[in-house]
């Protein structure tokens, strides 16, 4: 695991969630706990059913989607909770 000091640039975790969705709740909890580990990580929560502008801007098609925005302003999307073999690439994206 990487120390939180390995993150050098601000990272925005932009979440599109749906009320009453277990996967949305788990994703929001994960992102919030991750943001608490490093002041360079911030979380923005958007309601999938009402934020049509955000959905269009970030190209989101499903609830429980997380968009990662870093120094390069690239939009990396993760559908659901990054776990298993998806977790390491997720961490690499945050560090890059």
């Amino acid at each position: 695991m990487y120390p939180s000091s390995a993150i050098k640039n601000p990272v925005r975790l932009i979440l599109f969630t749906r009320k009453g969705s277990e996967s949305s709740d788990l994703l929001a909890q994960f992102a919030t706990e991750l943001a608490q580990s490093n002041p360079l990580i911030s979380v923005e929560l958007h309601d999938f059913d009402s934020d049509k502008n955000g959905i269009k801007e970030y190209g989101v098609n499903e609830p429980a989607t997380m968009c990662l925005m870093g120094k390069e302003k690239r939009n990396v999307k993760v559908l659901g909770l990054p776990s298993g073999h998806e977790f390491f690439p997720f961490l690499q994206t945050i560090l890059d």
Side-chain angles (χ1 to χ4, degrees):
M1 186 82 151
Y2 295 100
S4 64
S5 62
I7 300 172
K8 302 294 183 201
N9 298 298
V11 177
R12 292 171 44 216
L13 306 178
I14 304 163
L15 279 63
F16 290 86
T17 60
R18 176 175 276 157
K19 289 182 183 177
S21 164
E22 183 179 2
S23 58
S24 289
D25 292 344
L26 289 171
L27 184 62
Q29 180 181 357
F30 169 77
T32 301
E33 289 177 8
L34 189 60
Q36 291 172 348
S37 73
N38 189 301
L40 292 175
I41 302 173
S42 63
V43 176
E44 297 175 26
L45 291 172
H46 297 266
D47 182 60
F48 179 80
D49 295 312
S50 64
D51 188 355
K52 301 304 178 193
N53 290 332
I55 287 171
K56 185 177 180 181
E57 178 181 351
Y58 294 102
V60 172
N61 299 316
E62 300 286 333
T65 298
M66 177 169 43
C67 301
L68 285 74
M69 299 294 288
K71 170 177 108 172
E72 301 297 322
K73 299 289 184 198
R74 60 185 172 172
N75 183 357
V76 176
K77 290 189 239 13
V78 177
L79 182 59
L81 192 63
S83 61
H85 67 277
E86 299 169 339
F87 191 70
F88 182 74
F90 170 80
L91 281 180
Q92 280 298 121
T93 301
I94 288 178
L95 295 173
D96 289 343

